[in-house]
């Protein structure tokens, strides 16, 4: 289903985006050497409840997962790239942590992900990989607007990732959002310009470039949810929810400026 929001729904989409962005930045600030992933999950749970919002994850049970997710945020560390199930793990100096969060405010969803290094050890290869996903995300957003096609966004994202030397997996990518978290259209992280669905004002898209350092192959962890690189290499993931407007694309999940 491709859902086009009524203009009266946009304020709730903006509220959801601001909440997601704020929670992610708070969690980033709290994530230090020794922080347990289960604590991050509980912090997210508390902030979602305090805001009167609804988690999109805790009861989520899609075909690619094992039963309800049962947690409030995805916490993916090092070789884990997507759907990282929070578990009893204390972050170490130099870990690459990706946090992915989706919430619903007044029946409208926003979805975002950030990747960052924990502690003082800052491997340059990991920093470069995070930077590549962020640049690819910016390129995809710049390509969005009324009349653009999904392939234009995919091509822009893929061009940045390929130029940086990363293999690209197309099993999972960006997607529509609205009254539910995952909707059509699918937005692969590479594609051909000029192809696919034509964007319309009122469409919400979550764009999410993610890469693995030396492979395009995923493996599923024993927990039935966490997706890891097949080679054990590090990974990175960046995501924003955008609203297509008559003027272009508005990013709904940008962190507030200090």
């Amino acid at each position: 289903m491709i859902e086009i929001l009524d203009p009266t729904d946009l304020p709730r989409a903006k509220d959801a985006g601001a909440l997601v962005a704020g929670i992610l930045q708070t969690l980033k600030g709290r994530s230090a050497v020794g922080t347990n992933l289960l604590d991050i999950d509980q912090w997210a749970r508390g902030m979602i409840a305090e805001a009167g919002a609804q988690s999109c994850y805790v009861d989520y049970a899609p075909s690619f997962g094992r039963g309800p997710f049962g947690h409030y945020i995805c916490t993916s560390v090092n070789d884990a790239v997507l759907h990282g199930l929070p578990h009893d793990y204390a972050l170490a100096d130099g870990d690459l942590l990706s946090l992915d969060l989706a919430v619903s405010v007044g029946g409208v969803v926003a979805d975002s992900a950030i990747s960052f290094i924990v502690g003082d050890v800052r491997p340059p290869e990991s920093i470069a990989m995070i930077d590549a996903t962020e640049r690819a995300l910016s390129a995809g957003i710049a390509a969005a607007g009324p009349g653009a096609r999904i392939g234009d966004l995919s091509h822009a994202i893929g061009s940045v990732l390929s130029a940086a030397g990363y293999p690209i997996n197309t099993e999972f990518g960006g997607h529509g959002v609205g009254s539910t978290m995952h909707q059509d259209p699918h937005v692969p992280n590479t594609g051909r310009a000029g192809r696919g669905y034509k964007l319309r004002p009122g469409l919400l898209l979550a764009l999410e470039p993610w890469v693995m350092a030396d492979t395009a192959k995923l493996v599923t962890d024993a927990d039935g949810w966490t997706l890891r690189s097949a080679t054990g290499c590090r990974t990175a993931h960046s995501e924003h929810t955008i609203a297509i407007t008559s003027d272009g694309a508005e990013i709904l999940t940008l962190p507030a400026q200090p």
Side-chain angles (χ1 to χ4, degrees):
M1 178 182 73
I2 296 178
E3 184 176 0
I4 303 298
L5 265 64
D6 187 272
T8 59
D9 294 324
L10 190 56
R12 284 178 289 153
K14 291 181 177 181
D15 289 344
L19 177 61
V20 168
I23 291 175
L24 287 176
Q25 290 305 306
T26 298
L27 295 176
K28 179 180 179 179
R30 292 183 182 179
S31 298
V33 175
T35 299
N36 195 292
L37 299 182
L38 293 175
D39 289 335
I40 295 174
D41 184 55
Q42 287 305 302
W43 293 335
R45 176 184 183 180
M47 286 184 279
I48 292 169
E50 183 179 1
Q54 291 76 47
S55 167
C56 293
Y57 289 167
V58 66
D59 295 323
Y60 191 50
S63 60
F64 55 79
R66 182 186 297 164
F69 188 72
H71 292 271
Y72 293 81
I73 191 168
C74 296
T75 56
S76 302
V77 182
N78 295 333
D79 64 322
V81 65
L82 297 173
H83 314 153
L85 194 72
H87 60 284
D88 185 13
Y89 174 79
L91 293 167
D93 201 4
D95 274 349
L96 197 167
L97 175 62
S98 297
L99 300 177
D100 190 352
L101 177 67
V103 303
S104 176
V105 173
V108 183
V109 172
D111 188 1
S112 184
I114 57 174
S115 293
F116 55 94
I117 307 296
V118 175
D120 298 322
V121 176
R122 306 187 65 76
E125 301 87 355
S126 296
I127 294 172
M129 185 162 48
I130 294 169
D131 177 69
T133 63
E134 292 175 346
R135 289 188 290 110
L137 179 55
S138 294
I141 294 169
R149 294 187 178 273
I150 292 296
D152 299 328
L153 282 60
S154 296
H155 177 74
I157 291 168
S159 295
V160 173
L161 299 179
S162 295
Y166 297 108
I168 300 174
N169 176 294
T170 56
E171 295 173 78
F172 295 91
H175 51 88
V177 296
S179 57
T180 58
M181 176 172 57
H182 286 140
Q183 300 182 357
D184 291 331
H186 175 58
V187 189
N189 284 326
T190 188
R192 295 178 62 183
R195 299 296 184 92
Y197 178 78
K198 184 181 289 188
L199 309 188
R200 296 167 50 192
L203 177 69
L204 298 188
L205 293 174
L207 305 184
E208 49 181 316
W210 59 273
V211 292
M212 301 176 282
D214 62 16
T215 183
K217 184 177 179 182
L218 290 166
V219 293
T220 304
D221 207 356
D223 63 21
W225 276 99
T226 306
L227 295 178
R228 299 184 182 273
S229 62
T231 62
C233 68
R234 284 196 164 194
T235 68
H237 178 199
S238 296
E239 179 180 17
H240 274 312
T241 294
I242 63 172
I244 305 303
T245 72
S246 57
D247 298 321
E250 180 176 357
I251 305 173
L252 303 183
T253 47
L254 275 179
Q257 295 301 312

